[in-house]
Amino acid sequence: MEQTPNNTNNMKTFINSDRFEKMKKATLFLSLFCFVTTGYSQVTLSDKQQDKKSFPIVTSAAKAVVCYDKADAEVVRRTAGLLVEDVNRVTNKKLKLVSDLPSKQEYIILAGTLGKNKAIDRLVANKKIDVSRIRDGWEQYAIDLIDNPFPGIKKALVVAGSDRRGTAYGLFSISETIGVSPWYWWADVPVMKQPNVYIKPGQYSDGEPAVTYRGIFLNDEAPCLTQWVKHTYSTNYGDHRFYARVCELILRLKGNFLWPAMWNWAFYADDLQNSKTASEMGVIIGTSHHEPMARNHQEWSRKRKEYGAWDYTTNKKVIDQFFREGIERMQGTEDIVTIGMRGDGDAAMSENTNVKLLENVVKNQRKIIEEVTKRPAKETPQVWALYKEVLDYYDKGMRVPDDVIMLLCDDNWGNVCRLPNAKERKHPGGWGMYYHVDYVGAPRNSKWLNVTPIQNMWEQLQLTYDYGV
């Protein structure tokens, strides 16, 4: 089924490099339309519905029960519930969702994370499923069809994840297989109805993601998205109900990362449920290229008279406290901290490239991270965005610690500005790409789908990947 892109204005892709040496490499083409893994095989519907070897999710005579473990992550429970809704969309029949293994049931869909689901761990211990290919993996899943997994149960479709997102991806792979597009809600992609749904026997997995962090940036959200949210949710900002839908879309596309909207809204401050919702749904939050230390631009703008100038040379004490509060607030999440500094309102920090000043900013930011977390700074994921004039700092010799992700960018017209050479590719923190699907700014706005040639996007992102980004 065709995946139709969202019409929310000015979404941008955010592509992060492979930070884990053990990760496999594969061709990369990542945007709002597609996700690439080092693939194995996709879940397959059975066209032989009376085949006794197939697993019946829904038939005229039977319905599977979806099982999870209360000890597992919240995103597993949510995704299991969404699978129940998806099956209902396709068959007009609602499956039962339970948190305990039934004592007697013909067919179950058993979903859980290794080490978090007692029933799956029993299957592993009893050698009824082999999870060696996903154990200790990053966001991997394995789906197995097992006969007589437990007393009283005839067949189980087991979805085992190496971690919480791996489990969610496995469940959503079933949703997409039965005919529910990731864009069923945001783009009203129709769901094809069918009375019976069977899964072919076999072992299924997407493999390990080719890219560690994969996501989108909701930028320049006013007026289109702002007005839509106001109309839909009766609020003037992006509240957690809106972001829950965005996070669901990201997970269905097998992404994991979001830079939230920033011009009219403040993700962390506008609705205290925003951060909690994203964390529970397994989506990692970051802040944009000019919003350091988990603080939103609007948080400073709304109190500019109280805070004073966004100038580190004259207002260091206030700005450092502003930074500290951001790190304190994001504790307990997987969020990635943007470091460095740009000028007020996405502008250059100064006319001259003051390398020494920006080095001092980063040094102090890392000190704040250590003081707040009480751990070495390298244990908190960080990114330095080499966007626009910030690239000049790098060209003039500024460097950041080895653990920091170096985020490159395109030229605002969909052409990659810079790629790392052989020596630079050895940077331990890895490299990323901030790529505009559309753009608002000088010299011209481009925010319609038909001004983003897919051929050019493919070429530029393939080139990016070939250079180790």
Side-chain angles (χ1 to χ4, degrees):
M1 187 172 289
E2 182 179 356
Q3 294 182 348
T4 307
N6 189 352
N7 62 359
T8 302
N9 84 322
N10 209 8
M11 284 190 174
K12 301 169 185 176
T13 60
F14 184 102
I15 301 169
N16 252 78
S17 67
D18 179 357
R19 299 184 66 221
F20 301 94
E21 290 183 1
K22 66 184 178 64
M23 286 193 136
K24 301 171 184 175
K25 292 285 187 178
T27 301
L28 184 151
F29 175 77
L30 190 150
S31 71
L32 286 175
F33 318 114
C34 184
F35 169 71
V36 175
T37 61
T38 52
Y40 289 68
S41 59
Q42 300 294 323
V43 183
T44 308
L45 287 179
S46 175
D47 53 1
K48 298 178 181 178
Q49 297 187 349
Q50 304 306 317
D51 185 351
K52 292 182 179 180
K53 294 182 180 180
S54 296
F55 180 86
I57 294 178
V58 168
T59 72
S60 58
K63 291 190 297 183
V65 171
V66 180
C67 310
Y68 70 98
D69 193 313
K70 285 182 287 189
D72 216 328
E74 171 65 12
V75 66
V76 173
R77 183 193 68 80
R78 288 193 185 216
T79 310
L82 287 167
L83 175 63
V84 169
E85 293 177 16
D86 291 342
V87 171
N88 188 45
R89 290 184 179 97
V90 173
T91 66
N92 293 324
K93 294 180 181 178
K94 192 162 187 178
L95 305 184
K96 189 176 181 181
L97 177 65
V98 298
S99 59
D100 296 308
L101 199 64
S103 58
K104 188 176 181 181
Q105 174 68 38
E106 279 197 293
Y107 306 107
I108 65 169
I109 299 174
L110 176 60
T113 309
L114 298 181
K116 299 289 186 180
N117 186 294
K118 295 187 292 294
I120 290 178
D121 290 344
R122 279 168 55 194
L123 292 174
V124 174
N126 294 334
K127 300 187 184 321
K128 291 198 172 186
I129 58 172
D130 178 10
V131 296
S132 59
R133 62 196 187 279
I134 68 166
R135 190 180 292 281
D136 300 321
W138 175 255
E139 299 179 344
Q140 287 185 269
Y141 68 84
I143 298 178
D144 291 270
L145 181 54
I146 304 173
D147 292 327
N148 305 310
F150 304 104
I153 296 175
K154 185 176 180 180
K155 285 180 184 288
L157 188 66
V158 181
V159 182
S162 62
D163 51 35
R164 59 179 182 157
R165 281 185 291 272
T167 306
Y169 297 158
L171 285 165
F172 279 140
S173 71
I174 297 173
S175 293
E176 193 162 12
T177 297
I178 66 175
V180 180
S181 165
W183 296 97
Y184 79 98
W185 194 82
W186 279 104
D188 300 316
V189 175
V191 175
M192 185 179 296
K193 299 288 186 178
Q194 45 192 336
N196 303 316
V197 180
Y198 292 74
I199 300 296
K200 280 186 177 180
Q203 295 181 324
Y204 303 100
S205 176
D206 265 348
E208 196 159 47
V211 177
T212 308
Y213 301 112
R214 314 164 301 280
I216 59 175
F217 176 21
L218 297 176
N219 189 204
D220 301 308
E221 72 281 355
C224 296
L225 190 57
T226 298
Q227 291 301 315
W228 179 85
V229 169
K230 182 177 181 179
H231 173 78
T232 306
Y233 297 109
S234 300
T235 58
N236 291 316
Y237 54 85
D239 73 1
H240 71 280
R241 293 169 295 175
F242 161 74
Y243 278 114
R245 286 290 191 177
V246 175
C247 289
E248 180 191 334
L249 173 67
I250 290 171
L251 287 178
R252 285 181 182 270
L253 291 171
K254 297 190 176 72
N256 62 6
F257 192 63
L258 173 67
W259 274 2
M262 45 143 279
W263 280 115
N264 274 20
W265 306 337
F267 175 84
Y268 286 105
D270 284 339
D271 185 340
L272 298 181
Q273 294 296 309
N274 281 343
S275 180
K276 181 176 183 289
T277 298
S279 183
E280 287 181 348
M281 295 190 72
V283 172
I284 302 163
I285 299 296
T287 48
S288 71
H289 48 274
H290 75 107
E291 297 181 297
M293 301 290 277
R295 295 306 301 256
N296 300 120
H297 174 258
Q298 278 297 322
E299 294 184 85
W300 184 273
S301 296
R302 294 167 187 172
K303 294 186 177 182
R304 190 174 279 113
K305 290 183 180 179
E306 175 186 337
Y307 286 150
W310 181 257
D311 187 332
Y312 206 73
T313 59
T314 63
N315 202 17
K316 175 182 178 300
K317 184 178 179 180
V318 173
I319 293 174
D320 278 349
Q321 180 58 29
F322 185 72
F323 290 162
R324 184 179 298 274
E325 291 166 359
I327 303 303
E328 290 172 344
R329 185 175 56 188
M330 63 159 277
Q331 287 219 77
T333 70
E334 293 183 77
D335 294 358
I336 297 176
V337 179
T338 298
I339 61 171
M341 192 171 174
R342 293 193 74 212
D344 193 357
D346 202 11
M349 190 163 64
S350 61
E351 291 184 8
N352 301 316
T353 307
N354 191 336
V355 171
K356 187 175 181 180
L357 173 61
L358 193 54
E359 286 177 337
N360 190 43
V361 170
V362 171
K363 179 182 177 181
N364 291 340
Q365 288 172 338
R366 302 262 295 180
K367 182 180 178 183
I368 289 169
I369 291 171
E370 290 187 339
E371 289 174 350
V372 172
T373 64
K374 296 179 172 53
R375 302 193 312 269
K378 66 181 180 180
E379 293 183 14
T380 300
Q382 296 152 65
V383 61
W384 184 35
L386 303 178
Y387 180 54
K388 289 188 174 180
E389 85 291 338
V390 181
L391 185 58
D392 295 338
Y393 287 82
Y394 183 81
D395 287 341
K396 291 188 177 182
M398 180 175 169
R399 295 296 181 267
V400 291
D402 283 347
D403 57 277
V404 177
I405 301 165
M406 307 287 286
L407 185 68
L408 297 167
C409 190
D410 72 315
D411 62 357
N412 303 328
W413 293 86
N415 301 300
V416 174
C417 293
R418 177 73 61 86
L419 292 168
N421 60 33
K423 181 180 178 181
E424 290 171 326
R425 287 197 291 275
K426 295 178 182 178
H427 174 68
W431 294 80
M433 179 58 66
Y434 167 33
Y435 188 89
H436 293 78
V437 174
D438 53 36
Y439 177 73
V440 175
R444 184 174 297 169
N445 291 355
S446 59
K447 50 188 176 182
W448 299 104
L449 296 176
N450 61 355
V451 299
T452 304
I454 298 302
Q455 300 93 327
N456 182 72
M457 191 177 194
W458 183 92
E459 178 203 50
Q460 292 296 300
L461 294 181
Q462 177 67 59
L463 184 67
T464 297
Y465 191 74
D466 288 345
Y467 272 76
V469 178

